[in-house]
Amino acid sequence: MVVVTGQNKVSGNPDDAMSSSDAEDDFQEPATPTATQAGQALPLLPQQFPEVVPLNVGGMYFTTRLSTLRRYEDTMLAAMFSGRHYIPTDAEGRYFIDRDGTYFGDILNFLRSGDLPPRERVRSVYKEAQYFSIGPLLDNLEDIQPLKGEKVRQAFLGLMPYYKDHLERIIEIAKLRAMQRKARFAKLKVCVFKEEMPITPYECPHFNSLRFERSESETKLFEHH
């Protein structure tokens, strides 16, 4: 096969002609893009950050020191601004984090001076602390209300046998009772008792089949829902 270019004329000499395999080799694309092909799309790593870092978190603007973002080494923010990862910037040159910035100020206040958010924002800030993997902030938030009460509640429910297994059934019965009474909510009493010997999951009784005799003098049986 003879390859024609815009600058060189084709010679009639067979030695000047290129074979198909030679042409394919000359025009084969490189396996990885070169620096020229990559252009200016991404800067070369590691990325350098200024001492004072402007941030754009979901459209909300913040300014903080680089050392604040790196306060705890095992957090996502420390990893993001370690220089090992590329962070895009907006039109004003602020480093962009694609996250709702409503509670990001509380995150920065903790990293700066250990300040904790007010009680009404504890749950929301806890969720952000989970996303950014800020372990010290999570530990502090778990020791204040309302998360402390929830932590105790979950620990208590963890001691109740088969609670999680039957939680959907409990909710179903509560909804049915509320509908029957045409009420906005229904209350259920869950009886928890300790057995002499633990039973296996295969011996777990069904909720609808449990019946308890209240006392020897009373013959009325109470169905356990």
Side-chain angles (χ1 to χ4, degrees):
M1 182 181 74
V2 178
V3 179
V4 181
T5 64
Q7 296 179 350
N8 300 324
K9 294 182 180 180
V10 180
S11 174
N13 190 339
D15 295 337
D16 295 334
M18 299 176 61
S19 66
S20 60
S21 60
D22 293 338
E24 291 175 357
D25 292 340
D26 289 346
F27 287 88
Q28 184 177 6
E29 295 183 358
T32 57
T34 62
T36 304
Q37 292 173 328
Q40 302 299 325
L42 295 177
L44 298 178
L45 297 179
Q47 188 175 10
Q48 299 296 326
F49 298 100
E51 182 62 26
V52 178
V53 182
L55 299 172
N56 179 347
V57 184
M60 300 183 66
Y61 304 143
F62 303 89
T63 303
T64 187
R65 292 174 63 91
L66 181 62
S67 58
T68 299
L69 298 172
R70 298 175 176 176
R71 178 62 55 84
Y72 299 103
E73 296 181 356
D74 56 348
T75 66
M76 181 184 293
L77 288 174
M80 291 173 64
F81 290 91
S82 64
R84 300 190 304 270
H85 307 281
Y86 170 71
I87 302 179
T89 57
D90 62 10
E92 302 297 330
R94 303 182 185 93
Y95 295 97
F96 181 74
I97 299 177
D98 193 11
R99 187 74 177 175
D100 187 355
T102 303
Y103 304 101
F104 191 77
D106 294 302
I107 299 293
L108 287 181
N109 287 336
F110 177 80
L111 295 177
R112 288 167 176 154
S113 55
D115 293 342
L116 298 176
R119 180 176 298 183
E120 60 270 16
R121 296 207 300 267
V122 166
R123 291 185 183 275
S124 298
V125 176
Y126 187 83
K127 183 178 180 180
E128 294 303 300
Q130 286 180 315
Y131 177 80
F132 290 108
S133 301
I134 307 177
L137 178 54
L138 293 172
D139 294 338
N140 280 272
L141 292 177
E142 289 176 354
D143 289 336
I144 62 178
Q145 295 293 355
L147 294 183
K148 184 175 183 179
E150 182 65 22
K151 185 178 180 180
V152 174
R153 176 178 175 273
Q154 292 298 330
F156 173 75
L157 293 179
L159 299 176
M160 297 177 58
Y162 316 115
Y163 174 79
K164 294 183 178 180
D165 297 339
H166 295 292
L167 183 58
E168 293 184 2
R169 178 60 176 158
I170 293 174
I171 296 176
E172 179 183 349
I173 295 173
K175 288 182 178 180
L176 180 60
R177 179 172 296 183
M179 293 175 59
Q180 292 174 344
R181 298 181 179 180
K182 297 181 180 180
R184 296 177 59 185
F185 62 90
K187 292 183 178 181
L188 293 181
K189 292 183 178 180
V190 179
C191 178
V192 182
F193 62 96
K194 183 177 180 180
E195 299 183 351
E196 294 296 333
M197 295 294 293
I199 58 178
T200 66
Y202 300 99
E203 298 172 309
C204 177
H206 298 290
F207 270 89
N208 290 341
S209 63
L210 292 181
R211 292 176 177 270
F212 300 97
E213 189 170 352
R214 193 167 187 178
S215 66
E216 295 181 359
S217 59
E218 296 178 358
T219 58
K220 184 178 180 179
L221 298 179
F222 293 88
E223 185 174 3
H224 180 68
H225 291 291

